[in-house]
Amino acid sequence: MPDPELLERITARRAELDEREELLAKELAEVRAERDELAVAERVFERVSEQLADERASAAPTPGQVGGRAVMLIPHRTSDVEETTLPPDYQRILAAVRQAAGPVMARQVGDALGIDVSVRSKLEPLRGKLVRLVDRGWLRKLPDGRFTTRL
């Protein structure tokens, strides 16, 4: 006749293993579900990255057409766009702002460039170029209207 104590230990051990198997099965199901979520997140990340790359590529400056002639547009400042891609007059404006002891008004930039700043019709185009450089991320405009270089 089998030992009742041994039979009881076997039954108890089987119950422990069944309970452990159930916990492991539940944990495995959770791991698989999380892996599926990660796979979806990875696909979304790849799609968004591709879309952003496409948007950056399409936002890259391209020459425009005015009167059937190609004109150079002012590119947005990015890590891969160098200052040398700017037209020479914009490069001189940046250099004048950079050489100033601090933030400057359009009039001061005009003085540095040798523009007759007493004539409004000569100063306003310069102010427009400064603002365009701000819009494209090359310069920063302070609330008081002065311009400074970006960090």
Side-chain angles (χ1 to χ4, degrees):
M1 179 154 182
D3 183 5
E5 189 178 308
L6 182 59
L7 190 56
E8 191 177 309
R9 284 178 46 201
I10 291 172
T11 303
R13 182 65 178 150
R14 184 176 307 272
E16 283 176 29
L17 292 174
D18 288 345
E19 188 177 319
R20 189 158 180 224
E21 180 183 24
E22 190 177 313
L23 285 173
L24 289 172
K26 181 180 176 188
E27 208 174 315
L28 181 61
E30 290 171 359
V31 167
R32 285 182 176 153
E34 188 173 345
R35 288 183 80 187
D36 290 344
E37 288 174 7
L38 286 174
V40 170
E42 194 172 39
R43 285 193 301 271
V44 169
F45 176 78
E46 289 170 2
R47 282 190 199 139
V48 169
S49 295
E50 289 171 5
Q51 286 175 348
L52 287 174
D54 290 345
E55 287 174 14
R56 284 187 189 119
S58 67
T62 56
Q65 293 283 326
V66 175
R69 294 179 46 197
V71 293
M72 177 110 166
L73 300 177
I74 307 307
H76 287 275
R77 181 180 180 202
T78 60
S79 60
D80 59 334
V81 176
E82 296 194 19
E83 191 175 309
T84 56
T85 61
L86 293 171
D89 52 336
Y90 284 86
Q91 290 180 36
R92 287 192 299 276
I93 291 169
L94 278 177
V97 173
R98 196 174 287 121
Q99 289 170 0
V104 292
M105 297 297 287
R107 184 175 302 279
Q108 293 169 289
V109 175
D111 283 336
L113 296 175
I115 295 172
D116 184 4
V117 295
S118 65
V119 179
R120 186 173 178 92
S121 64
K122 300 217 184 227
L123 185 60
E124 287 310 310
L126 172 63
R127 189 180 322 279
K129 289 179 180 180
L130 286 161
V131 169
R132 195 167 300 117
L133 288 169
V134 169
D135 292 343
R136 303 299 197 287
W138 293 96
L139 291 177
R140 192 166 50 106
K141 187 174 181 182
L142 301 176
D144 64 0
R146 294 182 301 160
F147 297 89
T148 185
T149 56
R150 285 229 173 252
L151 299 177

